[in-house]
Amino acid sequence: MGKYVSSHLIKDESVVFETRLHWVIFFTWSSLFTLTIAAWIKRALSEFAVTNRRVVMKKGFIARDTFEMNISKIESVNVDQPFMGRIFNYGSLTVIGTGGTRETFHNIAKPMAFRRAFQEQC
């Protein structure tokens, strides 16, 4: 379990599913120019989890970007997978909350399992 997620669990909350950025991020221009150091750091500092009460997504360290939403406030979790994403099991997750809140996270490993874990908690 990631450090951010485990340190921000509330009473009687437990992690049901956790994933991270997919290894495909090692094949981007920024990763190649930094000899994959940027991709290692980005992957190590990103956490995506479904708990029995909410969805928690976190990216970054100094400039931290977090998204936490109660499961009861989420209308849907959409998965977009390109052709290669279907083959290598990665894609984009878009969480749509009540009131039109929309957050998208790209290059997530096991996006269909993430959505299934969310749906099982509803």
Side-chain angles (χ1 to χ4, degrees):
M1 181 177 355
K3 187 175 180 181
Y4 178 84
V5 173
S6 62
S7 66
H8 287 85
L9 292 176
I10 55 179
K11 185 179 178 186
D12 299 327
E13 184 177 28
S14 61
V15 175
V16 175
F17 181 80
E18 188 171 19
T19 191
R20 58 185 351 182
L21 290 174
H22 194 267
W23 55 262
V24 76
I25 66 169
F26 291 100
F27 298 103
T28 63
W29 286 112
S30 67
S31 176
L32 295 175
F33 285 130
T34 61
L35 304 175
T36 71
I37 293 170
W40 280 111
I41 292 170
K42 188 175 182 181
R43 191 168 195 233
L45 297 176
S46 298
E47 301 176 35
F48 307 93
V50 177
T51 71
N52 58 337
R53 294 187 178 192
R54 59 193 170 141
V55 170
V56 180
M57 298 181 181
K58 176 243 179 202
K59 295 187 312 184
F61 176 65
I62 295 172
R64 185 182 293 171
D65 179 22
T66 62
F67 175 78
E68 300 179 24
M69 186 175 280
N70 292 334
I71 288 182
S72 62
K73 300 293 182 187
I74 297 175
E75 290 181 358
S76 66
V77 175
N78 296 334
V79 175
D80 294 315
Q81 285 184 299
F83 176 73
M84 295 304 286
R86 295 276 313 265
I87 293 171
F88 294 114
N89 197 17
Y90 72 91
S92 296
L93 286 171
T94 303
V95 179
I96 302 171
T98 56
T101 304
R102 177 183 299 258
E103 287 288 328
T104 302
F105 295 88
H106 302 285
N107 298 321
I108 308 300
K110 304 180 227 171
M112 298 301 285
F114 187 97
R115 184 174 69 180
R116 187 177 320 107
F118 160 74
Q119 289 171 337
E120 289 172 354
Q121 298 306 307
C122 293

